[in-house]
Amino acid sequence: MDLEYYEPQTLAEAMSLLDCYGTEALAIAGGTDVIPSMRSGELVPSHLVGIHKLRELTGLRETPEGGLWVGASTTFTTLLRSLDIHRRYPLLAEMARSMGTPQVRNVATLGGNLCNASPCADSAPVLLCLDAVAWTEGPNGSRKVPLVSFFTGPGSTILVRGEILVGVELPPPAVGTAGSYMKVGRNLGVDLAVVSLAIAGCQSEKNPSRHCLHIALGAVAPTPIRANVAESILAEEVDENAIRAAISATVEAISPISDLRGTAEYRTLVVANIAGRAIRHVLSLIP
Amino acid sequence: MKHTIAITVNGTEERLQVDARQTLLEILREDLSLTGTKQGCGMGECGACTVLVDGMAVNACLMLAIRCDGREVLTIEGLSEGEQLHPLQQAFVEQGAIQCGFCTPGAILSSKALLDTNPSPDEAEVRESLAGNLCRCTGYAKIVKAVLSASKHQRGIARG
């Protein structure tokens, strides 16, 4: 089938191309997911819209609130090399380092990883536990959607026809935030996650004797998820009983499938194991 | 529809007619007969097709040719100066880091990207930079040794 390629100069032009061709069009940024999917026949677009150069999708900027806005076309190599990210959002840098290979990180983009909406998207758990907000622009205007509501299923997001993810906003990190990122794969590098888990935690702002932990998981449900019940348990108490209850609640929150990378039973055991390890690790780092 | 692109490959500017679907790997091998860049998995996992685009290591199988318009590409063919091997090529030969040879062009280009930005890497950094280059002869130890040796050699030259 014939394939047409466009490289629009403005966001408006990109949106109108995507809107005009609808399901026959596909936005492409780094292409590291799109190209293999086109080769395998999983995706058969007739119009490709290259959005990687659009000014509105590039850059890292401090927000007026003191957080960070990351453009959707930021590559994983850029995330990994940004001193600002290392200093203020070290979990994000750690995740970027574990994503793919150097060759893939040089071209793959944060926005592409999110819009591909794989349940095992590497960037999702870290961004979810940092309370990231997705910024989109579409024919019906702009939206700011908490990332936790961005994914609607494997490979699907809230984006409507003609709508583009332009960036992700991270709130300012709370003082003394500690974190843990764990990605379990079949080998150390390159592989997709069998289970991934990210936790960011700090003292509660309202009551310094209490804790606030955000727990997010990937590759264990149709979308990346937050373990809300486990978080509520740990917000009340962080003794050994509470930690055990939080681990059980985390396991309750998942609905893993069996695939070539691991069985549902294996994923469940891994979640119980690494959730406990990560919760204890983060608690030990909170002053 | 065909698109015209201008791309500099190993220092020579080429004007090519490409289809939107064609990858950089396809035009290097088919249109420019630069078969030193290998096609392995075609999925961005094995690294046999690694080339440098504007100095950055990329999988040529995942890069649309049309996206290379105006960019500079370096393949394994562009490394030596006539008969004079590049220090990395020389080190791979000397250390026996070439078995079947299929992964060698990609491994050398990933290593060049590393040494261009970090002239004195430690072993862990070398291994990390080669994480995207699979060697099915499992000759990794010698490849790592060769990269470290080339880095030492290049620094020796730089010092005079």
Side-chain angles (χ1 to χ4, degrees), chain B:
Chain B
M1 195 180 113
K2 293 271 186 188
H3 300 256
T4 305
I5 61 165
I7 147 176
T8 304
V9 181
N10 301 330
T12 308
E13 194 182 303
E14 310 276 358
R15 292 185 79 80
L16 298 169
Q17 294 282 314
V18 302
D19 188 84
R21 209 178 284 278
Q22 275 181 300
T23 61
L24 173 60
L25 178 62
E26 284 161 8
I27 63 153
L28 288 174
R29 290 181 58 88
E30 311 295 334
D31 296 14
L32 300 172
S33 301
L34 294 171
T35 53
T37 306
K38 303 303 178 197
Q39 164 149 19
C41 66
M43 304 287 281
E45 289 178 4
C46 75
C49 66
T50 304
V51 298
L52 304 193
V53 174
D54 293 338
M56 225 167 44
V58 304
N59 296 120
C61 75
L62 293 188
M63 168 97 28
L64 291 179
I66 201 166
R67 304 277 287 256
C68 297
D69 188 27
R71 303 179 80 177
E72 263 185 52
V73 178
L74 181 72
T75 73
I76 191 70
E77 289 90 347
L79 242 58
S80 64
E81 308 255 355
E83 293 290 295
Q84 181 73 39
L85 293 181
H86 183 277
L88 270 165
Q89 293 173 307
Q90 190 64 41
F92 270 61
V93 173
E94 282 167 9
Q95 300 294 332
I98 36 175
Q99 293 185 41
C100 82
F102 197 81
C103 75
T104 311
I108 288 181
L109 284 157
S110 284
S111 307
K112 183 170 190 308
L114 170 71
L115 297 187
D116 286 349
T117 51
N118 176 3
S120 21
D122 61 25
E123 187 179 327
E125 288 167 326
V126 172
R127 286 184 180 275
E128 196 173 329
S129 75
L130 287 165
N133 294 87
L134 301 184
C135 166
R136 290 302 78 183
C137 308
T138 67
Y140 295 112
K142 288 178 174 178
I143 295 175
V144 171
K145 221 168 142 188
V147 179
L148 289 169
S149 148
S151 120
K152 227 164 146 184
H153 177 79
Q154 280 187 321
R155 277 176 286 141
I157 292 174
R159 274 198 300 271

Side-chain angles (χ1 to χ4, degrees), chain A residues 46-113:
Chain A
S46 46
H47 302 269
L48 274 185
V49 182
I51 56 170
H52 57 301
K53 284 186 191 157
L54 294 175
R55 193 178 44 82
E56 294 89 342
L57 274 63
T58 58
L60 302 174
R61 289 198 294 276
E62 185 156 342
T63 62
E65 295 76 32
L68 186 72
W69 183 88
V70 184
S73 65
T74 305
T75 65
F76 284 79
T77 297
T78 303
L79 291 178
L80 183 56
R81 292 195 180 153
S82 155
L83 289 178
D84 208 27
I85 289 180
H86 268 276
R87 193 169 51 82
R88 300 174 65 218
Y89 303 97
L91 274 186
L92 194 55
E94 200 183 323
M95 174 284 297
R97 191 174 178 167
S98 81
M99 203 290 288
T101 65
Q103 294 94 314
V104 169
R105 293 196 286 269
N106 280 339
V107 286
T109 66
L110 187 67
N113 193 236

Side-chain angles (χ1 to χ4, degrees), chain A residues 19-275:
Chain A
D19 189 27
C20 170
Y21 295 112
T23 52
E24 288 177 7
L26 194 62
I28 178 170
T32 55
D33 280 320
V34 167
I35 293 171
S37 300
M38 281 174 58
R39 193 165 295 141
S40 69
E42 200 181 319
L43 293 174
V44 278
S46 46
H47 302 269
L48 274 185
V49 182
I51 56 170
H52 57 301
K53 284 186 191 157
L54 294 175
R55 193 178 44 82
E56 294 89 342
L57 274 63
T58 58
L60 302 174
R61 289 198 294 276
E62 185 156 342
T63 62
E65 295 76 32
L68 186 72
W69 183 88
V70 184
S73 65
T74 305
T75 65
F76 284 79
T77 297
T78 303
L79 291 178
L80 183 56
R81 292 195 180 153
S82 155
L83 289 178
D84 208 27
I85 289 180
H86 268 276
R87 193 169 51 82
R88 300 174 65 218
Y89 303 97
L91 274 186
L92 194 55
E94 200 183 323
M95 174 284 297
R97 191 174 178 167
S98 81
M99 203 290 288
T101 65
Q103 294 94 314
V104 169
R105 293 196 286 269
N106 280 339
V107 286
T109 66
L110 187 67
N113 193 236
L114 295 172
C115 292
N116 190 48
S118 164
C120 67
D122 276 319
S123 63
V126 166
L127 292 174
L128 283 182
C129 82
L130 294 174
D131 277 338
V133 176
W135 288 29
T136 74
E137 292 281 349
N140 303 324
S142 48
R143 294 200 272 172
K144 292 182 185 176
V145 183
L147 193 67
V148 73
S149 318
F150 181 75
F151 306 105
T152 52
S156 65
T157 68
I158 54 139
L159 292 178
V160 298
R161 184 173 175 140
E163 195 175 22
I164 293 175
L165 175 71
V166 293
V168 165
E169 181 187 346
L170 301 172
V175 181
T177 297
S180 175
Y181 175 63
M182 294 190 179
K183 175 177 169 182
V184 177
R186 289 168 301 179
N187 55 45
L188 267 183
V190 186
D191 204 9
L192 298 176
V194 176
V195 174
S196 61
L197 177 143
I199 301 185
C202 60
Q203 275 180 340
S204 160
E205 268 175 36
K206 292 177 204 131
N207 181 350
S209 65
R210 297 244 171 123
H211 297 76
C212 174
L213 266 70
H214 292 175
I215 304 173
L217 299 114
V220 288
T223 67
I225 55 162
R226 280 275 290 265
N228 297 315
V229 177
E231 292 178 8
S232 312
I233 293 170
L234 295 169
E236 295 294 321
E237 195 59 71
V238 291
D239 60 14
E240 197 49 38
N241 282 337
I243 292 174
R244 284 205 201 107
I247 296 169
S248 303
T250 306
V251 170
E252 282 295 307
I254 67 171
S255 47
I257 57 163
S258 296
D259 63 14
L260 71 147
R261 280 181 287 281
T263 61
E265 292 77 11
Y266 175 68
R267 287 189 157 99
T268 306
L269 282 173
V270 171
V271 166
N273 218 333
I274 64 174

